[in-house]
């Protein structure tokens, strides 16, 4: 399957955000996104065992550095991308290391531990993306880092129930304890004021990252960062929706409707011009 098909099938907000890019950068982002999707799918596969997943991720690490026998066409395209934008393999290996954490880490004691995971699966994606978007001010790297943390924290809040089904809890244990909630209550989907307080605490953390990202975005790079700003706007809307509804994440799957998405995309495009 080629990069365009992988991106199309994902129905992701990230793919939507590419709308503002020129043809060449759009194609390059589609290739990079397909890489992210493929390694994510390996880690999340319900049919592969842990050893097989590790083997496949290790194979991708190799393919980032050199051609291998019987490699997928995507591997060649990703190396072409790395060459074009002078991306060291370590930048993409961070993302592989992030999805790999899901194979062995099922709990996070502190937010500092979780931050490493969020950096790898989200901020590292942002740091590669801005190289493809193009930027002038190096502060864009800080913007990408903070925005990545904001997006991933929003994902974690939204996906509490889904992650529990997979045996994973991303909410830091120190935060759960701080709100006098317990893992047993979480496992049993106990929705009470302590759970809401825990979710509000995580939402405030996500909002702080959104604010730091906004403060770090250099004015001269606002236009090139439109795809990232579209993502940020959609996720801020998602976070707000969950907050207003008191985080009924055990019963509901929160998403932003097509019409609201279109409005948010149009607003960001309008702001950039």
């Amino acid at each position: 399957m080629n990069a365009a098909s992988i991106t199309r099938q994902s129905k992701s907000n990230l793919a939507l955000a590419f709308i503002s890019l020129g043809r060449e950068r759009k194609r390059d982002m589609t290739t990079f996104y397909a890489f992210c999707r493929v390694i994510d799918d390996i880690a999340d596969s319900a049919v592969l065992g842990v050893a097989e997943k590790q083997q496949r991720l290790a194979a991708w690490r190799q393919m980032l550095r050199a051609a291998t026998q019987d490699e997928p066409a995507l591997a060649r395209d990703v190396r072409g991308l790395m060459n074009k934008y002078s991306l060291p393999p370590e930048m993409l290996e961070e993302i592989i290391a992030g999805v790999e954490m899901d194979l062995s880490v099922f709990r996070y004691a502190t937010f500092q531990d979780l931050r490493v995971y969020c950096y790898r699966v989200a901020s590292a994606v942002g740091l590669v993306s801005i190289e493809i978007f193009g930027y002038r001010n190096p502060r864009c790297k800080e913007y990408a880092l903070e925005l990545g943390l904001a997006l991933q924290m929003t994902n974690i809040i939204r996906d509490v129930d889904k992650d529990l089904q997979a045996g994973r809890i991303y909410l830091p244990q120190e935060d759960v304890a701080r709100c006098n909630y317990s893992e047993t209550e979480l496992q049993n989907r106990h929705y009470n004021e302590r759970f809401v307080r825990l979710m509000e605490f995580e939402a405030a953390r996500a909002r702080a990252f959104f604010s730091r990202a906004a403060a770090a975005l250099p004015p001269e790079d606002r236009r090139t960062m439109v795809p990232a700003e579209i993502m940020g706007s959609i996720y801020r809307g998602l976070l707000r929706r969950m907050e207003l509804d008191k985080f009924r994440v055990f019963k509901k799957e929160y998403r932003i409707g097509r019409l609201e998405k279109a409005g948010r995309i149009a607003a960001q495009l309008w702001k950039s011009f």
Side-chain angles (χ1 to χ4, degrees):
M1 193 187 289
N2 65 21
S5 310
I6 294 167
T7 304
R8 219 173 14 250
Q9 277 191 11
S10 76
K11 297 187 175 68
S12 159
N13 290 322
L14 189 59
L16 259 181
F18 301 165
I19 198 165
S20 64
L21 295 171
R23 186 180 295 172
E24 193 180 336
R25 290 184 198 274
K26 192 179 204 168
R27 191 181 60 233
D28 292 344
M29 272 309 293
T30 300
T31 298
F32 172 56
Y33 179 72
F35 161 76
C36 294
R37 188 74 268 157
V38 165
I39 62 160
D40 204 36
D41 287 348
I42 292 170
D44 283 345
S45 170
V47 292
L48 300 175
V50 173
E52 174 71 6
K53 288 177 180 183
Q54 285 169 331
Q55 217 174 331
R56 291 193 186 194
L57 292 171
W60 264 105
R61 274 200 179 88
Q62 257 183 307
M63 291 185 286
L64 290 178
R65 292 175 178 269
T68 63
Q69 218 177 352
D70 303 324
E71 67 177 18
L74 181 63
R76 187 194 60 234
D77 294 344
V78 171
R79 285 195 305 274
L81 203 63
M82 290 162 66
N83 202 28
K84 182 176 178 179
Y85 295 100
S86 306
L87 303 168
E90 290 81 8
M91 283 183 85
L92 282 83
E93 282 171 346
E94 278 284 9
I95 306 166
I96 296 175
V99 303
E100 215 163 33
M101 285 173 79
D102 278 336
L103 307 183
S104 57
V105 184
F106 301 97
R107 301 288 184 279
Y108 290 86
T110 67
F111 175 68
Q112 282 315 109
D113 296 336
L114 179 66
R115 197 181 193 279
V116 174
Y117 174 76
C118 294
Y119 172 82
R120 286 173 170 171
V121 298
S123 296
V125 172
L127 288 166
V128 172
S129 299
I130 64 167
E131 296 298 330
I132 298 172
F133 299 158
Y135 61 88
R136 283 177 285 176
N137 190 323
R139 273 205 83 196
C140 265
K141 292 182 180 183
E142 191 188 331
Y143 164 74
L145 190 149
E146 300 288 358
L147 184 62
L149 297 174
L151 300 181
Q152 193 57 32
M153 281 311 301
T154 305
N155 270 339
I156 285 168
I157 295 165
R158 179 194 62 194
D159 294 339
V160 166
D161 190 64
K162 195 173 85 177
D163 294 331
L164 276 171
Q165 288 168 35
R168 295 187 192 123
I169 295 173
Y170 292 103
L171 302 167
Q173 290 169 322
E174 64 180 3
D175 298 350
V176 174
R178 184 187 283 123
C179 295
N180 294 318
Y181 196 61
S182 70
E183 186 175 316
T184 308
E185 287 177 291
L186 191 57
Q187 296 278 16
N188 293 326
R189 273 76 168 174
H190 279 179
Y191 180 85
N192 53 33
E193 62 182 39
R194 284 170 290 116
F195 174 74
V196 175
R197 198 157 67 237
L198 171 61
M199 292 291 98
E200 284 171 345
F201 181 81
E202 303 303 348
R205 176 177 274 148
R207 267 204 319 277
F209 286 130
F210 277 123
S211 297
R212 287 209 279 274
L217 177 58
E220 66 268 36
D221 285 314
R222 254 173 221 291
R223 198 157 174 179
T224 48
M225 292 301 128
V226 168
E229 284 293 273
I230 287 172
M231 282 290 288
S233 175
I234 289 170
Y235 272 73
R236 277 196 307 273
L238 183 62
L239 185 63
R240 187 82 188 116
R241 178 164 293 191
M242 292 189 288
E243 283 178 311
L244 290 172
D245 200 36
K246 295 281 182 211
F247 308 97
R248 298 181 189 279
V249 290
F250 298 135
K251 294 244 171 74
K252 277 186 186 179
E253 204 179 314
Y254 290 93
R255 47 165 60 101
I256 296 292
R258 270 187 194 169
L259 206 61
E260 188 182 338
K261 263 184 199 169
R264 287 178 176 275
I265 290 168
Q268 291 304 325
L269 292 171
W270 175 254
K271 263 165 76 174
S272 77
F273 290 106

